[in-house]
């Protein structure tokens, strides 16, 4: 009998999650039923959205229930199957949760090709992360050649892809990141035109310097005062893409909204939120484009991998402290 180790939600966090909010459990791996298959999980994706899933409030998806296995995208290998669409040995990604094994019925599960790219990349540039950047910038942002794009959390998983796609599409890319290492990374390695260190610079003054004609597309991952700074520098007809607001996820009081939202009226701009899942029917299109750009060297990604399922509570916190570079992933087992 194979034992499945799991991480379950023990209590709803107030502010930043702590180890006390999680319970480590184990149980026998469930038996296969008709049309199901068993996945041995190799890698788990850590995403800022996970913090929102812990709150018992109205959202685009029900919250994780107390006592449930923590929700997460993950990647693994099929080790047994009663589903004709999936065979033992297939590598797959899907909503498998924070655990060692997952029994799946195939919904929202995608096969991945380990010969095309290293497996962690399918949770990064070739996964939901890459598709979020692709659809957010090109569809929601309606990017046009020659425009100026500003992206916050630019050294993070999504932001780093956004800036590179902007460059591929013939635009100017300005990234906002925290600290000199991250700023050097997005300019020297990823090809951004400029970087703004929000920890050391006046963001409004820096946006004025690097965006003399204003911001055409602002891709927001952080909210708060960075969003306000971007709103103060919009070009006529600008588009603000709301992907996330990580600066607000752990606040215990009312979240900080932009006080200068009337800039949308003045500049005839628009602000729109989205989910990558809104474009699920076009996942293959996005993956083909991202894979082609990666193959010809125009798209790079960095995966920050931490070993061990037991590290989940502490590794999750790295998302909110900025103590990582690129896409944050937990390695559960060797390939």
């Amino acid at each position: 009998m194979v034992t499945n180790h799991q991480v379950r939600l023990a209590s709803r966090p107030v502010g930043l999650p702590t180890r006390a909010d999680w319970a480590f459990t184990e149980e026998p791996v469930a038996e296969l039923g008709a049309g199901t298959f068993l996945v041995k999980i190799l890698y788990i994706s850590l995403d800022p959205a996970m913090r929102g899933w812990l709150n018992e409030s109205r959202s685009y998806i029900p919250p994780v229930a107390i006592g449930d296995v923590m929700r997460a995208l993950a990647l693994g290998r099929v080790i047994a199957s009663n589903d004709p669409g999936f065979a033992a040995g297939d590598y797959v990604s899907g909503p498998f949760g924070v655990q060692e094994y997952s029994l799946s019925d195939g919904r929202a599960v995608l096969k991945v090709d380990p010969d095309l790219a290293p497996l962690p990349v399918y949770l990064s540039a070739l996964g939901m992360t890459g598709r979020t950047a692709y659809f957010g910038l090109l569809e929601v942002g309606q990017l046009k050649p020659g425009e100026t794009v500003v992206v916050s959390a630019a050294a993070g998983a999504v932001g780093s892809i956004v800036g590179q796609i902007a460059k591929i599409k013939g635009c100017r890319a300005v990234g906002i990141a925290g600290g000199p290492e991250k700023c050097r990374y997005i300019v020297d390695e990823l090809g951004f035109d400029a970087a703004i260190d929000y920890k050391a610079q006046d963001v409004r003054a820096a946006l004025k310097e690097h965006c003399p004609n204003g911001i055409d597309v602002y891709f927001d991952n952080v909210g708060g005062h960075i969003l306000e700074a971007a709103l103060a520098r919009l070009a006529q007809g600008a588009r603000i893409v709301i992907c996330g607001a990580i600066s607000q996820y752990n606040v215990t009081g009312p979240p900080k909204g932009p006080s200068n939202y009337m800039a949308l009226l003045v500049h005839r701009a628009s602000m729109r939120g989205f989910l990558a899942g809104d474009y699920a029917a076009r996942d293959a299109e996005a993956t083909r484009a991202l894979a082609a750009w990666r193959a010809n060297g125009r798209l790079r990604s960095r995966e920050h991998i931490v070993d061990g399922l037991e590290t989940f509570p502490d590794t999750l916190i790295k998302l909110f402290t900025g103590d990582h570079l690129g896409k944050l992933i937990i390695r559960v087992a060797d390939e």
Side-chain angles (χ1 to χ4, degrees):
M1 185 69 71
V2 178
T3 299
N4 184 21
H5 294 91
Q6 305 161 317
V7 178
R8 296 177 181 269
L9 182 64
S11 59
R12 300 212 178 276
V14 177
L16 205 62
T18 69
R19 184 168 279 270
D21 294 317
W22 306 103
F24 291 83
T25 62
E26 60 180 58
E27 64 183 25
V29 170
E31 294 186 5
L32 291 180
T36 65
F37 54 93
L38 183 63
V39 178
K40 178 180 174 64
I41 294 172
L42 305 176
Y43 297 98
I44 295 172
S45 173
L46 278 79
D47 300 285
M50 298 171 97
R51 180 61 186 86
W53 299 340
L54 304 180
N55 296 333
E56 197 167 26
S57 57
R58 182 183 177 193
S59 187
Y60 60 88
I61 190 171
V64 177
I66 300 295
D68 278 3
V69 173
M70 178 57 193
R71 181 185 297 140
L73 293 173
L75 185 147
R77 184 177 64 250
V78 177
I79 58 173
S81 178
N82 282 338
D83 185 329
F86 296 89
D90 286 346
Y91 288 92
V92 292
S93 65
F96 300 138
V98 183
Q99 55 187 340
E100 292 177 324
Y101 296 90
S102 178
L103 192 65
S104 175
D105 60 6
R107 283 182 290 185
V109 174
L110 299 173
K111 293 183 183 180
V112 303
D113 184 354
D115 295 326
L116 180 64
L119 289 175
V121 177
Y122 287 100
L123 294 177
S124 179
L126 300 185
M128 183 67 75
T129 294
R131 295 192 295 272
T132 298
Y134 180 91
F135 290 119
L137 184 60
L138 302 182
E139 292 300 320
V140 182
Q142 290 292 298
L143 188 65
K144 304 177 186 67
E147 292 191 319
T148 294
V149 175
V150 175
V151 57
S152 56
V158 173
S160 61
I161 303 298
V162 167
Q164 292 179 86
I165 295 176
K167 294 302 296 178
I168 289 168
K169 294 297 184 179
C171 295
R172 177 172 173 79
V174 177
I176 303 173
E181 179 188 2
K182 292 182 178 181
C183 287
R184 282 194 299 269
Y185 168 64
I186 64 174
V187 172
D188 296 345
E189 294 190 36
L190 302 185
F192 281 59
D193 294 287
I196 298 170
D197 183 351
Y198 73 85
K199 293 183 177 180
Q201 294 177 264
D202 180 324
V203 175
R204 291 197 183 206
L207 286 173
K208 184 176 181 179
E209 175 188 351
H210 294 301
C211 309
N213 298 317
I215 300 168
D216 297 298
V217 178
Y218 174 56
F219 195 107
D220 189 35
N221 293 302
V222 301
H225 74 278
I226 302 294
L227 172 58
E228 287 194 337
L231 284 169
R233 196 62 195 164
L234 298 181
Q236 205 84 335
R239 287 84 68 202
I240 298 93
V241 181
I242 302 297
C243 180
I246 197 168
S247 72
Q248 304 299 299
Y249 290 165
N250 293 294
V251 298
T252 55
K256 179 177 174 57
S259 61
N260 57 343
Y261 72 94
M262 286 298 289
L264 298 173
L265 184 154
V266 172
H267 298 287
R268 276 77 93 200
S270 63
M271 181 186 292
R272 180 181 159 198
F274 81 105
L275 301 172
D278 299 340
Y279 301 91
R282 295 170 56 192
D283 279 355
E285 168 203 325
T287 302
R288 282 194 301 270
L290 293 161
W293 293 331
R294 184 180 182 278
N296 64 26
R298 303 178 75 188
L299 182 67
R300 299 181 181 184
S301 64
R302 184 179 293 191
E303 290 72 46
H304 184 127
I305 297 176
V306 178
D307 286 311
L309 185 74
E310 70 280 0
T311 70
F312 172 77
D314 297 325
T315 305
L316 180 67
I317 299 304
K318 291 180 182 291
L319 287 172
F320 309 107
T321 61
D323 186 22
H324 71 290
L325 187 61
K327 174 65 184 179
L328 191 57
I329 294 171
I330 288 178
R331 177 163 41 211
V332 179
D334 292 334
E335 297 179 19

